Amino acid sequence: MAEESLVRLAERYRRFATDEARGVSPHYERLARDIAASADVLRFLIDLPPPRRQPNLLLGAATLIAGRPPDIKSLTRMVARRAEELRATMLARTTQTNDPARCAVLLPLLAALPQPLALIEVGASAGLCLLPDRYGYDWGHARLAPPSPDAPVFGCAVTGPAPLPTALPRIVWRAGLDLNPLDVASDEDTAWLSALIWPEQEDRRRNLRAALAVARRDPPRVVRGDLLRDLETLMAEAPAEATLVVFHTAVLAYVSTAEARLHFVDTVRQSRAVWISNEVPSVFHDIAIRAPAAPSGRFLLAVDGVPKAWTGPHGQSLEWFPGREGPP
Ligand SMILES: C[S@@+](CC[C@H](N)C(=O)[O-])C[C@H]1O[C@@H](n2cnc3c(N)ncnc32)[C@H](O)[C@@H]1O
C-alpha cells in the first residue's frame, strides 16, 4: 500500500513537471522530475498529510529555509539533515501566492462601474490586489501612470475590444477575507510570498517587492475568515453609498466541492454586490461553457457570471471577448 502511494506521489510530481512547470520554469521542471525519482524525498513527503505533499509547498518551503534548491542533491541533503524544519514549515504554511499584477485585468471592470467603490476580496492573502488604485498600468496602447513614483507599473498584453480605463477607480472602502491573512509588515510572511514565486519569474518578484512597499505605507485590512461563512458579515460593513464589489482571483479552486462554490455564488448574487471572478475555468463550469474556446493555461474573467475575457494567470495578459465590451 505504502509503495502504491509512493508511486502515485511520484506520478503527481511528474505531472507537475509536465503540466505546470514545462515552458514556465525549466528549473522546477527538472527538479520535480528528479523528486519523482528520489526515494528519499518521496518517503519524506509520504509522511505528511496528503494536502501537504504539494510540489509548490515543498519547493516554497525549501526555498524559504535555505534559498532555492539548486538541484536534487541539495534537496535530498535538506530532507536528510533538516527534515523537522522542512516538515514544520510545510505544516505551518499554505500556498498563498499574492499576485498584485492581477489588478491589471480587474481594472477595466472596476473602472467601468459607478464610482466610488467599496471592495471586498475573498481569498485576499496579504491583500495586495485590494490596492488597484495605488499601482500604474501599461496595456500597450493605453497606460495609467502610478499615483506615486515608487509604485509598480504592471504590464499586460491586451487583445480584443477591452474597455481600457483612462482613470483609476475611486475606492472609498476596502477589506479582504482570508482563512490565513498574511501581514505585509511581517518579514516572515513576505519572505514566504517571495519563496512561492518560481525561479525564473523575476518580473513577478519585482512586482511583489514594489507592491509590498506601497502596501506597507497603508496596509490593507484582511480579516481572518472563511468565504463560505463570513462574507455576509463583512458585506454589512461596507458603506451603502458606494458600489459594493466582491471579487476573487485564484481562490475558488481551493473550495473543494461545486456545491460549496455555488453556495458562495448564491450569497454574493443575493446581495447588492457586483461579483467579479477571475479563476481557472473548471471552477465555474456553467460560466466557462458560455465563453469562446479556451487557450490553455488561462483564467476566466467574469462579471455577475457573464464571461468577459481570458486572462494570464499572473495578470500578464487580457484577451477580451468580442461583443463583451459594454458596461459590466
Ligand atoms: C493563491 S492565493 C490568491 C491570493 C490573491 N487572491 C491573489 O490573486 O493574489 C489563494 C488564497 O485564498 C485563500 N483561501 C482559500 N480558501 C479560502 C476560504 N474558504 N475562505 C477564505 N480564504 C480562502 C488562501 O488562504 C489564500 O490566501
Side-chain angles (χ1 to χ4, degrees):
M1 176 62 189
E3 283 310 309
E4 246 180 68
S5 304
L6 285 173
V7 169
R8 274 207 301 273
L9 189 55
E11 180 50 34
R12 181 173 179 183
Y13 273 74
R14 271 193 295 274
R15 265 203 321 273
F16 172 84
T18 318
D19 300 352
E20 298 186 47
R22 183 180 289 170
V24 184
S25 171
H27 185 67
Y28 274 2
E29 183 185 354
R30 199 170 42 247
L31 206 48
R33 276 191 206 296
D34 290 345
I35 292 168
S38 162
D40 291 342
V41 181
L42 292 176
R43 287 213 178 85
F44 164 80
L45 287 167
I46 211 80
D47 283 341
L48 289 161
R52 302 286 169 167
R53 298 173 190 162
Q54 295 167 38
N56 274 316
L57 190 57
L58 170 66
L59 296 166
T63 302
L64 184 71
I65 290 170
R68 190 82 56 209
D71 49 32
I72 190 67
K73 255 201 210 142
S74 94
L75 191 61
T76 313
R77 217 176 307 125
M78 178 179 284
V79 161
R81 297 187 189 158
R82 302 177 79 171
E84 270 323 301
E85 203 179 341
L86 186 58
R87 183 181 164 77
T89 305
M90 291 180 72
L91 290 173
R93 293 284 179 186
T94 53
T95 52
Q96 290 192 265
T97 322
N98 202 180
D99 256 316
R102 290 177 178 140
C103 289
V105 304
L106 301 174
L107 214 75
L109 293 174
L110 295 176
L113 290 168
Q115 308 288 306
L117 306 180
L119 290 187
I120 293 182
E121 183 186 13
V122 297
S125 182
L128 297 177
C129 295
L130 277 167
L131 310 175
D133 52 341
R134 298 206 202 144
Y135 309 130
Y137 301 90
D138 183 352
W139 293 285
H141 50 287
R143 280 179 64 93
L144 276 179
S148 61
D150 61 338
V153 175
F154 301 134
C156 175
V158 178
T159 55
L164 298 177
T166 52
L168 292 166
R170 197 156 68 81
I171 299 165
V172 290
W173 184 92
R174 64 191 97 210
L177 188 64
D178 202 286
L179 290 175
N180 180 43
L182 295 182
D183 178 358
V184 295
S186 149
D187 289 345
E188 289 82 24
D189 283 358
T190 57
W192 177 237
L193 286 175
S194 180
L196 285 169
I197 296 178
W198 290 9
E200 295 85 350
Q201 299 181 325
E202 217 23 73
D203 278 6
R204 286 179 71 204
R205 217 178 317 279
R206 214 176 20 250
N207 284 338
L208 175 68
R209 266 197 304 269
L212 283 169
V214 167
R216 282 198 185 119
R217 289 202 288 269
D218 181 8
R221 173 179 168 229
V222 183
V223 175
R224 186 177 297 276
D226 189 329
L227 63 88
L228 297 173
R229 274 201 314 268
D230 303 307
L231 179 58
E232 278 173 304
T233 313
L234 198 54
M235 286 197 288
E237 283 185 34
E241 62 282 7
T243 302
L244 177 60
V245 180
V246 171
F247 74 98
H248 47 87
T249 87
V251 173
L252 268 287
Y254 291 85
V255 175
S256 54
T257 69
E259 199 187 0
R261 292 193 288 268
L262 287 180
H263 165 76
F264 162 76
V265 173
D266 283 348
T267 308
V268 185
R269 297 311 306 276
Q270 283 163 22
S271 76
R272 67 181 175 98
V274 176
W275 169 43
I276 297 178
S277 150
N278 185 45
E279 298 285 347
V280 289
S282 55
V283 159
F284 294 121
H285 176 70
D286 57 330
I287 304 180
I289 55 172
R290 287 179 285 129
S296 79
R298 299 296 200 283
F299 283 8
L300 181 57
L301 180 69
V303 57
D304 288 336
V306 177
K308 292 286 183 180
W310 296 119
T311 68
H314 307 301
Q316 71 274 41
S317 64
L318 178 63
E319 296 151 65
W320 208 269
F321 304 147
R324 306 286 170 84
E325 53 274 43

